[in-house]
């Protein structure tokens, strides 16, 4: 009985996989791209690459900001939590005098 249930589950998974691949192939035939969208627009890619080769830092190019907001920027609650968790991990590993 267990073998029969396992075989039925395997058949269902195979059908699901086949339908997924059919959908992906159909979308690809229509010209849709799968995957994550680029973080930098195609028009800016050359500018960013040139600035990096001239010595600008990655953080400056990405316009990064600190987790706690900083420089009159409000901090997002999730960023404050991430900052707190990071500080807790660092403080537990660093012996205090």
């Amino acid at each position: 009985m267990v073998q029969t249930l396992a075989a039925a589950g395997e058949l269902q998974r195979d059908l699901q996989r086949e339908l997924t691949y059919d959908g992906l192939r159909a979308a690809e035939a229509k010209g849709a791209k799968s995957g994550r969208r680029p973080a930098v627009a195609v028009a800016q890619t050359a500018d960013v690459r040139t600035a990096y080769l001239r010595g600008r830092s990655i953080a400056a190019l990405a316009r990064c900001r600190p987790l706690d907001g900083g420089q009159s920027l409000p901090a997002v609650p999730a960023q404050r939590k991430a900052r707190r968790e990071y500080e807790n991990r660092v403080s537990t590993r660093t012996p205090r005098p």
Side-chain angles (χ1 to χ4, degrees):
M1 184 171 167
V2 173
Q3 268 186 319
T4 306
L5 290 174
E10 189 175 337
L11 175 66
Q12 182 181 4
R13 180 66 185 132
D14 287 342
L15 288 173
Q16 185 179 11
R17 184 180 298 127
E18 186 178 330
L19 289 173
T20 300
Y21 286 135
D22 287 346
L24 288 172
R25 281 190 229 113
E28 193 174 307
K30 289 181 182 178
K33 292 183 179 180
S34 62
R36 189 180 220 180
R37 291 186 178 148
V40 177
V42 176
Q44 292 178 328
T45 305
D47 297 336
V48 170
R49 183 176 291 126
T50 303
Y52 175 72
L53 292 174
R54 288 184 181 164
R56 289 209 49 200
S57 70
I58 294 173
L61 292 171
R63 295 180 186 92
C64 292
R65 66 180 186 169
L67 290 174
D68 56 359
Q71 295 184 356
S72 72
L73 296 172
V76 178
Q79 291 173 326
R80 283 194 301 258
K81 181 179 179 185
R83 174 74 174 200
R84 214 172 30 248
E85 289 178 2
Y86 173 76
E87 287 175 349
N88 290 342
R89 268 187 272 145
V90 169
S91 64
T92 57
R93 292 184 181 176
T94 307
R96 293 190 176 181

